[in-house]
Amino acid sequence: MAYRLEMRNMTKRYGDFTANDNVSFTLRAGEVHAIVGENGAGKTTLMRMLYGMEQPTSGEIVLNGRPVVFRGPDDAIKHGIGMVHQHFMLFADFSVAENIVIGYEPQRAGLFRRKEAVEAVRALSERYRIPIDVTARVSQCSVGEQQRVEILKVLYQGADIIVLDEPTAVLTPLEVKELLQTIRHLAESGKSVILITHKLKEVMEVADRITVLRGGRVTGTVSRQETSVDELARLMVGRELQPLSERVSLAGGPLLQVENLTVRDRQTIVDGVAFTVHHGEIVGIAGVSGNGQSELLQAITGLRPITAGRVLLGGKDVTNRPVAAIREAGVAHIPEDRYLWGTAKQESVEENALMGYQRKRAFSRRGVILRDAFRCVVEQWVERFAIKTGSRHLQEQAGNLSGGNLQKLIVARELGQKTPLLIAAEPTRGVDIGAMEHIHQALIEKRNSGDGILLVSSELSEILALSDRILVMYKGRIVGELKRSEATEEKISVLMAGGSIHGSGQKAV
Amino acid sequence: AGCAAGGGAPEDKGQAGGQDGGAKKRVALVLPEKIGVNPFFQQMDEGAKKAAQEFGVDVKTIESTDHAAIEENIRAAVAENYDLIITSSFESEDALKKVAAENPDRMFAIIDTVVDLPNVRSVVFREHEAAYLMGAAAGLATKTNKVGIVAAMDIPLLKKWTVGFQEGLKATNPKAEVFVNYVGSFNDPAKAKELALLQANKGADFIYGAAAVGDLGVFEAAKEKGFYTSGQDVDRTGIDPEHIVLSQLKGTDTAAYETVKAFVNGSLKPGVQTYGLKEDGVGVTYVTRESKTPLHPFIGEEIVNKVKAIKDEIVAGTRKVPDPLQQ
Amino acid sequence: MEAVKKLCKSLVQPLLAVAIGLLTGAVVISAVGESILDTYQQMWKGAFGSFYFFASTLARSTPIMLIGLGLSLAFRAGVFNLGAEGQMVLGAIGATLVGLYLPGPGLVKMLAALATGVAVGGLWSLLAGYMEAKFRVQLLITTLLLNYIAVLFAGYLVSEPFQDKSGSAALAQTAMLEKSVWLPKLFAGMSVHAGFLLALAAALALFWVVRFTPFGYEVKMLGHNPFFARYGGIDKDRVMLVAMFASGGLAGLAGTVEVLGAHYRFVDGALTVPGYAWTGLMATLLANSHPIGVVFTSILLAALQTGAMGVERNTEVPLELASVIQAVLILFISAKFSHDWWKNRKSKRRESHGVV
Amino acid sequence: MELFDGALVSSTIRMVTPILLAALGGALCARVGIFNVGLEGLVLVGAFSAIVGNHFTGSLPLAVLFAAAVTVLFSLLFAYMTIGLKANEIIVGVAINFLALGLTTFALRAVFGVKGAFYDKDMAGLPQWQIPLVTDIPVLGDILSGHSPLVYAAFLAAVLLHLFFAHTVTGFRVLAAGMNPVAARSLGLKVTRLQVLAIALCGVLCGMAGAQLSLGQVTMFTEGMTAGRGFIALVAMMLGQSHPLGILASSLLFGLMDALSIRLQGFSLPTQFTAMLPYVLTIAAMFFLKDRGAAASTASQQSAR
Ligand SMILES: Nc1ncnc2c1ncn2[C@@H]1O[C@H](COP(=O)(O)OP(=O)(O)OP(=O)(O)O)[C@@H](O)[C@H]1O
Ligand SMILES: Nc1ncnc2c1ncn2[C@@H]1O[C@H](COP(=O)(O)OP(=O)(O)OP(=O)(O)O)[C@@H](O)[C@H]1O
Ligand SMILES: [Mg+2]
Ligand SMILES: [Mg+2]
């Protein structure tokens, strides 16, 4: 059977660094082909070359039997290739319909026919069963909705090959389910889908074939029927995954006490939330994103004003204190959006690592930052978390790191603060399974040493694997609390959707 | 070629013509601003150039880009051995005081202000006397008893014009109402025109332009609205005889010309020379000088005669027109 | 070795730019039938031709440098302060009045005047910063508007209550400061004064702060990503206000040293007409907000001006043309073409070309 | 004495026109992410070339066209430097201002052989259109009628520009290119071409602004006759948050304040204080307009680095 797409011997070099090394890849019509691999393996780079955003150093792209060269994305789009980027390429102030039709607007005499656009998009959304409010502003859409906008845009442009780069990393379980359904549906209707993801369960659920990349090379292409999660993991990481270390039982005293916390900004976002995190405990917060988790964390860490209620840290009131004071009192914070809150993309790895340490006693003398001493510490982090920093090492621009490696840098930085409390929001978003294992291990170790962790994750498996106690948030309130022993994915899902469960402990702390 | 003779200033200047085996004498005219739109400097430049031709000397005009450049340029002119350095205006006062004091063996001149040093010749004008005559004429001519002044900026210097004019106006027509508006800039004819239009709209039938380039805007407004107006520095009545009925005159060209001439003759002496009505250094068309343009009936022979009488009183000293800046 | 290579690489760009600027200027000069060589010779002479002219260039670079240094700090913090002119003028008038009317020995007066210049300029700048921090009124606009207000207010002060009534009294200016308050000239008979040393000291101090101190780090990170800065515990408003105060203070100092070292009195318009504020802005942008870079770019820009004066004095090339040449040179020096051209060639060899 | 009358309002409308036109041009640039401080220079070039066009063609429409064309050339220089050569847009803007001042003064000498000002009493300025019927309405007739075609064109331009952004495909894409150039490029939109188009249109508007100044308000060219209007336009643009109708409002506000300050000159307040009035009140107005329109400032802040 002829392939719809063949990429032959693709190589891409950045300076002395080889991101893709002789990679070959094929795609059939109506196929879902997953690409997996550890962070920095070169998945995104391969797709950027397919989409015309990067020119290959060498190699050939053959489309429907004919070799093609894409000088830019418009070339690729014209040849029926569409890409949904990890970082959405959307215009925040435009409506959903406008975002979808842009570049191919329905028009008459140069005038933009917005009504026709709305109709066309509506029809498209019905045809592919991707529901969306076409007149809403994109800035007001949830991440899941924005993802749908991106997919619809690609479809509107008439793509036969759709590339999805880590589409599920930011979605809630329900949204993931819907997306996987959409992907299957697209494949059935004759489209080919390339799916990049770190979640092997999803791969096993939806992919026909799987290509594994490691260190810029293909380590194998397998069909789903012939493989398993474990085999994929081995191919990716090159070793067996370790089980998480034992949890030590610690009966620590209260560390973080949140009392009746309310955040209001035009409307109530967080509504009378109360809970406690003890020493030696990981408390997980589950919930569909947009139910106030982000705002809750921002309120605790001082990034957002608290309307009512109190936050106590080790018995000390830190309500509405400046961020610096709260950090000083013993809080570190892995932010959920690593590009918005967690990095300065144009700055070097070293400068990004320094954030929060610049006024620390250990790294400054007489008002001067001790760069050399600090650099040694960063080197240790890079080694411990296997952060691939690129050719310029610590002086590499943070923005040039692959998404997962940047995440690891942030995790290392915040763990390095050695604070009694760590607030971890989506700590493993976008990292590969090897690194995820590593980060989970580090979190457990921190807990075992007697520190407390407040964990927010849209990944239920992560919550279940790490938490001693699980709180579920819904519409700004805590609607349920589950002990580790009694928690199941089903129970949490019900609570997350606004339902209630009976019979189990549902008391407020 | 340098001043080999280290002697005193007077000797230098006396024998300057003989230096360097008959080479031409070199005169630098250092202006404190760009000549640009300023007729004051334009005329000075012309006067100096005219003298240069007639008396066979080299005159180099150096325009300064800004305040800080003035001293720079004067110093450079000294360094480049110009035989006479003419400067101008209040803006150059500080700079000249410094440089002239440091170079007592050089001769300097300054036009339009006084620098009291033994090697500086100062030439000043009493513009307020001419402005007074203009005001007097306006007071006599106005039918609506309303006149306007469109001035460039509200700065002390311009008081010589605005205050002088108002004094004259009061002298001949105490009941006349006067509108004063400032453009806020020396080079904004568009705004000057609008201000003139507004004054005309309020009933002014004579508007005195003292807005530098803005005067051109006032002229246009006069043409459009049919009121009467006046020019500055040179006889401008020719531009639009129907509406520009007077001009206030100022002989900066004469001052520059005379200075160069005196220098060539060897008669240039330190000290102050003032040009007023008496010396015929300032004046008003028809009153102190004839004009190619026939007299407009709005002013008329009778008024000209009355103003001539006032002029005579000022010249004779019986009518005092104090310098507004010295009050 | 690495450092030398880096230096060479960073020099290629400006040098090529200057070369192309000069070439374009040559076209303009020959278009009016003047001698290219002579004109450029006079330009060079006017700027660097002798120690005297070099000193004049340094004198002219002094206010540009101080303003540029101040702005570099604000820009690093991501604050676009367009109000240097007003800050300079108010600082200067404040310092002048203190120098004139404060009783006490000369040195005390001089120091007090310098301090006042910094404080007044800084506070005026802080006003815009405060309005942004507290009321979210856009600083970019307010600083621009506050210029007009400051310049008009200073104009009022010197044409009414504090006008010099001695002498011809025709200019809007204060009385002259007494000699003991003057900043000393560095060389007798040359215009460069102690203010230049102050500017150099400020550059070094700023370099040290930016490079080595936590505050410098915080300013930089705030400029790159304010969200990240806040997340990391940096007090955004505080850093912004400090940066604004410092940048306004240095602008105020620029005006002050110009008064104490060159004019010896505040003259209405003497600080605004030369356009020091815009030139200082350009110096910063050309130097990419690097304090030591600002030293060089401000001397370069000053040299272009003094060079143009030399052209005006000694050639028949009209003054306007000198300013055209100056503008053309600045245009091309700011261009990044050589760099891009270089980079493109390199990447083309490797057949890779990023689209985004 | 009444503070406002028909003549003052009518004068305000005329005075505001060049500012409005230039501010609209600046807004076009701001919309594609370029902060154009060179408006002053562009308007000056427009004013000069309008006079040159009028002098040599003797036709007013041709003169305005000529002004627009020359200013477009100048704005393309700006575009080439900022987009093509990636020079800092603020530096280029400032340099353009210097260049315009130098070149026009020099060309004044070269073309007309005069220094400072070119004034020809036989040169006809733009006609003053008496709008039938409207002219006869008392008070309002004086205010609305009798302006040069460019005055009406300016107000029309604000509305047209609004329609351009709101209803045309190109306008939509221009907005997109400014809002998120990376995304626009990833869609294959020709971002650079759109930016150049916007800057060229800015040139047209600034050319018209200049023509209104030198042929509409007065009929002459004088060195530096823009007298800071380009910077006021910049403020009006920012205050109007780069929205055409917002700019219309902010320009009018500014004009009104200016008119008020002229009126207050009659009273015994020092003129420096009356002249401050527009700026003080504009700052006061900003307290009510905060929050929105951060776009302009972000655009310029980007360029600071
Ligand atoms: N523009 C660039 N310049 C230099 N190095 C780059 C550039 N883009 C990518 N790289 C490097 O190429 C390698 C591959 O990056 P790529 O983004 O393709 O990885 P990935 O497989 O998508 O990783 P992740 O799973 O973290 O997204 C990384 O090590 C990255 O640092
Ligand atoms: N303008 C750029 N210059 C250099 N490198 C870039 C640029 N834009 C992106 N990159 C690099 O290209 C690679 C792919 O970018 P992309 O935005 O798809 O991120 P990603 O690695 O997929 O991130 P994530 O892990 O969050 O999915 C990354 O390594 C990124 O750092
Ligand atoms: Mg990737
Ligand atoms: Mg990634």
Side-chain angles (χ1 to χ4, degrees):
Chain A
M1 174 184 170
Y3 290 114
R4 179 173 267 172
L5 167 76
E6 276 184 82
M7 295 178 82
R8 292 181 187 152
N9 307 322
M10 302 293 284
T11 296
K12 175 71 191 176
R13 286 198 199 93
Y14 292 109
D16 304 329
F17 181 82
T18 308
N20 277 174
D21 188 1
N22 214 24
V23 173
S24 294
F25 175 82
T26 57
L27 184 68
R28 298 192 179 103
E31 177 189 42
V32 178
H33 193 152
I35 301 179
V36 297
E38 59 189 346
N39 296 127
K43 308 177 292 292
T44 302
T45 306
L46 185 66
M47 290 304 109
R48 287 164 72 92
M49 290 192 288
L50 176 60
Y51 193 54
M53 293 175 84
E54 298 276 355
Q55 302 303 313
T57 311
S58 66
E60 189 183 25
I61 299 174
V62 179
L63 196 64
N64 297 320
R66 232 172 278 145
V68 285
V69 174
F70 298 148
R71 299 236 55 99
D74 44 339
D75 274 356
I77 293 171
K78 275 191 209 112
H79 283 85
I81 295 171
M83 179 155 170
V84 176
H85 302 264
Q86 166 86 59
H87 299 110
F88 298 146
M89 300 282 190
L90 293 175
F91 303 94
D93 287 351
F94 288 166
S95 75
V96 166
E98 286 169 341
N99 265 283
I100 289 170
V101 300
I102 185 163
Y104 304 88
E105 304 87 348
Q107 53 178 298
R108 198 162 306 154
L111 293 181
F112 186 2
R113 316 279 296 191
R114 281 196 167 72
K115 278 213 189 89
E116 277 174 33
V118 166
E119 286 315 312
V121 171
R122 207 167 262 152
L124 199 69
S125 114
E126 274 160 26
R127 183 162 145 226
Y128 289 100
R129 293 191 221 146
I130 305 174
I132 188 94
D133 174 5
V134 295
T135 52
R137 248 168 212 276
V138 158
S139 56
Q140 276 147 17
C141 289
S142 73
V143 183
E145 286 166 333
Q146 293 186 10
Q147 180 106 57
R148 277 178 246 159
V149 175
E150 286 282 19
I151 295 176
L152 280 169
K153 179 163 71 186
V154 167
L155 291 170
Y156 179 85
Q157 291 166 356
D160 293 320
I161 298 173
I162 300 166
V163 182
L164 299 166
D165 191 355
E166 291 188 48
T168 59
V170 288
L171 299 189
T172 62
L174 189 68
E175 286 171 330
V176 170
K177 214 164 165 187
E178 287 169 359
L179 176 69
L180 295 183
Q181 268 167 17
T182 304
I183 291 175
R184 279 284 17 136
H185 184 76
L186 289 172
E188 276 153 26
S189 62
K191 310 276 179 194
S192 304
V193 179
I194 302 174
L195 173 69
I196 298 178
T197 179
H198 291 296
K199 296 173 187 169
L200 299 180
K201 243 176 67 190
E202 293 166 4
V203 172
M204 294 308 287
E205 210 177 315
V206 78
D208 299 307
R209 286 193 299 155
I210 300 130
T211 290
V212 183
L213 286 183
R214 179 138 60 88
R217 294 163 184 268
V218 178
T219 52
T221 300
V222 291
S223 72
R224 183 191 44 194
Q225 285 83 2
E226 296 159 3
T227 189
S228 66
V229 169
D230 289 338
E231 193 203 341
L232 285 178
R234 208 171 31 249
L235 280 172
M236 272 171 69
V237 188
R239 61 176 164 86
E240 294 287 342
L241 292 180
Q242 308 290 315
L244 286 179
S245 49
E246 286 290 298
R247 312 172 151 258
V248 215
S249 211
L250 287 163
L255 171 61
L256 171 74
Q257 289 160 282
V258 175
E259 296 173 1
N260 189 32
L261 188 141
T262 301
V263 175
R264 217 171 283 139
D265 183 7
R266 265 172 261 166
Q267 68 204 51
T268 305
I269 308 169
V270 178
D271 191 1
V273 165
F275 63 88
T276 304
V277 178
H278 299 88
H279 283 283
E281 184 185 38
I282 298 180
V283 174
I285 296 183
V288 175
S289 73
N291 275 282
Q293 303 95 312
S294 317
E295 290 78 5
L296 172 65
L297 296 194
Q298 287 170 6
I300 295 174
T301 51
L303 290 169
R304 184 182 273 273
I306 294 172
T307 318
R310 289 207 303 168
V311 178
L312 302 179
L313 195 69
K316 204 178 130 209
D317 192 340
V318 294
T319 315
N320 279 333
R321 301 278 294 141
V323 179
I326 295 175
R327 278 186 168 263
E328 193 58 34
V331 180
H333 179 195
I334 300 168
E336 65 171 337
D337 187 332
R338 57 174 168 251
Y339 289 109
L340 182 66
W341 293 101
T343 31
K345 279 169 91 170
Q346 302 104 314
E347 270 301 333
S348 69
V349 168
E350 182 182 324
E351 297 298 272
N352 274 282
L354 187 58
M355 182 57 80
Y357 293 86
Q358 72 272 17
R359 288 187 188 273
K360 283 259 146 64
R361 268 286 179 70
F363 301 115
S364 67
R365 194 189 310 141
R366 278 187 239 111
V368 172
I369 300 176
L370 299 174
R371 291 277 176 175
D372 291 335
F374 185 71
R375 216 166 282 140
C376 291
V377 174
V378 181
E379 293 287 4
Q380 287 167 18
W381 296 347
V382 167
E383 197 171 326
R384 173 160 176 226
F385 285 89
I387 302 170
K388 293 198 188 110
T389 48
S391 52
R392 287 196 295 151
H393 199 43
L394 296 189
Q395 303 314 318
E396 185 73 46
Q397 265 193 21
N400 278 350
L401 258 56
S402 84
N405 281 307
L406 188 60
Q407 180 70 19
K408 292 195 274 185
L409 177 70
I410 295 171
V411 170
R413 179 180 72 207
E414 296 307 309
L415 281 174
Q417 292 274 9
K418 301 204 172 66
T419 50
L421 179 69
L422 173 68
I423 292 179
E426 313 288 352
T428 58
R429 175 174 283 176
V431 306
D432 64 49
I433 49 173
M436 186 188 304
E437 176 202 23
H438 209 103
I439 292 173
H440 284 175
Q441 192 68 46
L443 292 179
I444 293 286
E445 274 166 28
K446 186 170 177 67
R447 167 197 178 274
N448 286 352
S449 74
D451 293 338
I453 296 174
L454 180 63
L455 171 73
V456 171
S457 176
S458 49
E459 207 61 46
L460 281 188
S461 55
E462 185 165 73
I463 296 260
L464 285 165
L466 296 176
S467 311
D468 295 292
R469 238 165 358 113
I470 297 159
L471 308 173
V472 183
M473 263 188 101
Y474 179 71
K475 291 201 169 158
R477 295 165 165 276
I478 293 199
V479 294
E481 180 184 339
L482 300 163
K483 288 213 195 73
R484 180 180 177 77
S485 52
E486 62 190 15
T488 62
E489 217 164 290
E490 288 69 40
K491 279 189 194 170
I492 299 174
S493 296
V494 171
L495 286 168
M496 276 168 62
S500 62
I501 42 172
H502 305 285
S504 52
Q506 212 186 325
K507 54 182 192 304
V509 179
Chain B
C3 318
E11 286 89 342
D12 252 20
K13 136 185 95 160
Q15 50 178 250
Q19 271 185 359
D20 293 338
K24 275 185 176 180
K25 281 198 232 180
R26 294 163 67 235
V27 176
L29 176 62
V30 179
L31 301 179
E33 304 170 13
K34 291 189 253 187
I35 291 180
V37 285
N38 202 331
F40 178 75
F41 296 128
Q42 273 170 9
Q43 284 189 74
M44 210 178 290
D45 185 37
E46 283 161 21
K49 294 247 159 76
K50 189 172 147 219
Q53 254 184 357
E54 283 180 24
F55 306 114
V57 289
D58 269 340
V59 170
K60 168 78 186 159
T61 306
I62 300 170
E63 302 171 50
S64 308
T65 42
D66 54 61
H67 196 87
I70 301 172
E71 185 176 334
E72 207 53 56
N73 283 332
I74 300 177
R75 283 185 188 280
V78 171
E80 279 151 21
N81 288 313
Y82 281 97
D83 301 295
L84 170 70
I85 296 165
I86 307 176
T87 61
S88 165
S89 284
F90 315 94
E91 295 144 282
S92 312
E93 215 175 300
D94 282 354
L96 187 63
K97 269 184 199 156
K98 270 185 257 175
V99 182
E102 287 168 25
N103 298 281
D105 54 343
R106 290 302 189 86
M107 192 59 199
F108 299 90
I110 186 160
I111 297 175
D112 214 24
T113 193
V114 177
V115 167
D116 190 13
L117 283 172
N119 54 339
V120 179
R121 157 82 151 196
S122 307
V123 182
V124 292
F125 296 96
R126 300 195 297 275
E127 295 94 341
H128 47 282
E129 293 181 356
Y132 186 96
L133 294 188
M134 294 291 290
L140 293 168
T142 178
K143 308 273 188 300
T144 57
N145 266 352
K146 287 175 181 158
V147 299
I149 303 175
V150 175
M153 284 215 255
D154 191 5
I155 52 170
L157 175 62
L158 283 184
K159 287 191 177 141
K160 279 187 161 181
W161 282 262
T162 56
V163 175
F165 180 85
Q166 290 184 69
E167 293 294 319
L169 182 73
K170 238 185 286 171
T172 57
N173 189 347
K175 283 201 297 282
E177 192 183 345
V178 59
F179 313 120
V180 189
N181 282 114
Y182 297 94
V183 180
S185 157
F186 285 103
N187 55 354
D188 195 345
K191 181 149 186 203
K193 179 177 174 185
E194 293 295 341
L195 293 176
L197 288 175
L198 287 171
Q199 291 181 349
N201 210 56
K202 284 198 277 185
D205 61 352
F206 180 86
I207 295 174
Y208 175 64
V213 194
D215 286 355
L216 291 174
V218 179
F219 297 165
E220 272 201 15
K223 198 160 94 183
E224 245 175 72
K225 283 275 163 171
F227 60 84
Y228 302 102
T229 181
S230 63
Q232 287 288 346
D233 298 317
V234 287
D235 185 354
R236 308 231 163 199
T237 52
I239 297 177
D240 181 5
E242 270 308 296
H243 302 99
I244 307 171
V245 293
L246 286 176
S247 259
Q248 181 176 327
L249 307 171
K250 177 169 170 178
T252 49
D253 47 352
T254 319
Y257 179 86
E258 292 293 336
T259 306
V260 176
K261 185 176 163 191
F263 171 68
V264 175
N265 295 341
S267 63
L268 192 68
K269 299 245 160 46
V272 184
Q273 167 151 32
T274 73
Y275 286 107
L277 286 175
K278 190 173 170 189
E279 299 80 10
D280 202 22
V282 301
V284 170
T285 45
Y286 309 110
V287 179
T288 63
R289 295 266 178 96
E290 287 314 308
S291 170
K292 287 201 192 84
T293 322
L295 181 62
H296 193 279
F298 178 72
I299 299 295
E301 209 56 56
E302 192 184 335
I303 292 177
V304 170
N305 289 333
K306 281 186 187 161
V307 177
K308 273 184 177 159
I310 295 173
K311 179 208 134 190
D312 292 338
E313 289 173 34
I314 295 172
V315 169
T318 50
R319 189 188 281 257
K320 292 270 180 269
V321 182
D323 183 349
L325 297 178
Q326 303 299 331
Q327 287 172 338
Chain C
M1 190 56 228
E2 185 65 15
V4 174
K5 238 170 93 180
K6 224 170 127 186
L7 187 76
C8 286
K9 232 161 101 180
S10 65
L11 278 181
V12 170
Q13 140 79 19
L15 286 182
L16 211 74
V18 170
I20 296 202
L22 288 177
L23 218 68
T24 317
V27 174
V28 180
I29 298 166
S30 59
V32 294
E34 293 292 333
S35 155
I36 297 162
L37 206 68
D38 188 44
T39 307
Y40 279 138
Q41 216 168 11
Q42 292 303 340
M43 196 156 189
W44 174 259
K45 266 196 187 158
F48 301 113
S50 69
F51 189 68
Y52 174 81
F53 288 117
F54 181 57
S56 307
T57 301
L58 294 187
R60 187 156 264 263
S61 76
T62 304
I64 299 172
M65 199 181 294
L66 280 166
I67 287 173
L69 288 170
L71 291 179
S72 76
L73 193 67
F75 291 177
R76 267 175 183 260
V79 199
F80 212 76
N81 178 2
L82 285 182
E85 183 157 297
Q87 293 147 18
M88 165 178 66
V89 165
L90 277 196
I93 182 75
T96 312
L97 294 182
V98 165
L100 281 173
Y101 300 110
L102 187 81
L107 187 67
V108 171
K109 279 205 258 188
M110 186 209 285
L111 292 177
L114 287 170
T116 309
V118 172
V120 173
L123 287 175
W124 187 246
S125 162
L126 207 54
L127 175 66
Y130 179 78
M131 286 196 287
E132 161 122 358
K134 188 88 183 169
F135 304 104
R136 304 235 246 130
V137 173
Q138 271 182 66
L139 191 141
L140 182 73
I141 314 181
T142 48
T143 48
L144 199 59
L145 288 169
L146 285 173
N147 282 340
Y148 294 94
I149 297 175
V151 170
L152 285 167
F153 182 66
Y156 164 74
L157 288 183
V158 295
S159 60
E160 294 287 337
F162 297 107
Q163 199 219 338
D164 177 25
K165 296 278 201 302
S166 67
S168 62
L171 279 187
Q173 60 182 20
T174 63
M176 191 171 275
L177 292 163
E178 57 184 80
K179 270 214 166 75
S180 59
V181 188
W182 297 5
L183 281 176
K185 297 277 182 203
L186 294 184
F187 308 97
M190 312 251 170
S191 39
V192 62
H193 52 81
F196 181 71
L197 297 183
L198 283 179
L200 283 187
L204 287 176
L206 211 57
F207 175 72
W208 185 78
V209 166
V210 164
R211 185 70 187 272
F212 298 112
T213 68
F215 179 73
Y217 172 79
E218 292 176 353
V219 164
K220 182 171 70 174
M221 295 318 260
L222 180 64
H224 275 304
N225 182 353
F227 292 96
F228 181 40
R230 214 151 77 77
Y231 152 89
I234 295 170
D235 187 339
K236 189 175 161 231
D237 287 348
R238 209 198 57 147
V239 173
M240 189 266 267
L241 291 177
V242 171
M244 275 303 274
F245 181 83
S247 88
L250 283 171
L253 186 61
T256 305
V257 300
E258 198 57 10
V259 166
L260 298 189
H263 305 321
Y264 306 134
R265 60 164 108 216
F266 183 92
V267 186
D268 191 25
L271 294 173
T272 49
V273 174
Y276 290 135
W278 284 111
T279 315
L281 185 85
M282 291 202 281
T284 306
L285 294 174
L286 283 175
N288 210 356
S289 299
H290 191 294
I292 304 300
V294 171
V295 172
F296 291 102
T297 51
S298 41
I299 292 177
L300 173 77
L301 291 173
L304 283 176
Q305 295 182 359
T306 47
M309 285 181 218
V311 171
E312 150 67 14
R313 278 195 303 266
N314 298 318
T315 70
E316 291 308 309
V317 175
L319 185 63
E320 302 81 49
L321 208 59
S323 67
V324 168
I325 297 169
Q326 191 189 330
V328 167
L329 282 174
I330 290 169
L331 267 181
F332 279 97
I333 292 169
S334 69
K336 302 226 165 42
F337 58 93
S338 63
H339 195 58
D340 268 17
W341 170 81
W342 201 69
K343 241 171 56 183
N344 275 350
R345 222 181 55 136
K346 220 171 86 171
S347 57
K348 273 210 187 97
R349 257 205 331 261
R350 292 186 166 136
E351 280 182 63
S352 71
H353 183 72
V355 177
V356 182
Chain D
M1 186 174 84
E2 73 205 299
L3 273 180
F4 287 101
D5 55 35
L8 194 62
V9 177
S10 161
S11 154
T12 301
I13 288 175
R14 280 193 299 273
M15 298 283 280
V16 147
T17 298
I19 293 170
L20 174 60
L21 282 166
L24 290 174
L28 264 164
C29 295
R31 283 292 183 181
V32 293
I34 288 167
F35 190 61
N36 189 348
V37 290
L39 295 179
E40 175 89 1
L42 293 179
V43 176
L44 191 62
V45 168
F48 179 73
S49 41
I51 287 289
V52 173
N54 195 10
H55 183 77
F56 288 106
T57 67
S59 147
L60 284 163
L62 282 182
V64 175
L65 271 182
F66 184 71
V70 172
T71 317
V72 166
L73 279 184
F74 230 72
S75 71
L76 287 179
L77 174 68
F78 179 87
Y80 177 66
M81 298 302 299
T82 52
I83 301 172
L85 302 186
K86 303 218 166 34
N88 182 295
E89 61 212 44
I90 308 248
I91 302 187
V92 176
V94 177
I96 287 270
N97 288 340
F98 280 130
L99 193 63
L101 190 59
L103 273 184
T104 51
T105 311
F106 176 69
L108 190 63
R109 201 194 257 196
V111 178
F112 298 112
V114 294
K115 263 195 130 177
F118 175 74
Y119 176 75
D120 177 358
K121 72 174 190 299
D122 298 326
M123 188 184 273
L126 290 170
Q128 300 182 342
W129 276 358
Q130 301 298 333
I131 316 269
L133 298 180
V134 176
T135 317
D136 303 328
I137 310 173
V139 188
L140 215 59
D142 283 345
I143 295 173
L144 295 181
S145 188
H147 295 296
S148 87
L150 284 180
V151 171
Y152 301 109
F155 286 83
L156 196 64
V159 176
L160 284 181
L161 200 60
H162 171 66
L163 295 178
F164 172 71
F165 284 138
H167 293 295
T168 69
V169 168
T170 314
F172 174 64
R173 291 181 180 182
V174 167
L175 290 181
M179 198 182 298
N180 189 347
V182 175
R185 243 176 228 128
S186 84
L187 283 165
L189 292 189
K190 303 279 181 242
V191 173
T192 308
R193 203 178 293 171
L194 290 170
Q195 286 177 328
V196 172
L197 173 78
I199 296 174
L201 271 179
C202 168
V204 172
L205 289 166
C206 286
M208 284 165 66
Q212 163 65 13
L213 200 57
S214 66
L215 287 179
Q217 276 173 251
V218 290
T219 311
M220 69 185 82
F221 177 82
T222 66
E223 183 181 307
M225 75 184 295
T226 39
R229 284 176 176 84
F231 291 100
I232 301 297
L234 210 57
V235 172
M237 171 202 104
M238 292 190 278
L239 199 61
Q241 296 164 356
S242 300
H243 190 289
L245 301 183
I247 288 171
L248 187 60
S250 63
S251 308
L252 283 175
L253 173 81
F254 210 87
L256 225 57
M257 295 307 148
D258 204 32
L260 194 62
S261 90
I262 290 176
R263 263 294 184 266
L264 289 178
Q265 279 186 2
F267 300 95
S268 59
L269 220 55
T271 48
Q272 285 90 352
F273 288 104
T274 62
M276 265 181 221
L277 195 74
Y279 310 104
V280 173
L281 290 181
T282 306
I283 291 180
M286 286 178 62
F287 279 83
F288 300 97
L289 285 169
K290 58 195 173 185
D291 274 358
R292 295 183 56 227
S297 77
T298 344
S300 61
Q301 292 195 355
Q302 228 73 56
S303 69
R305 275 172 262 133

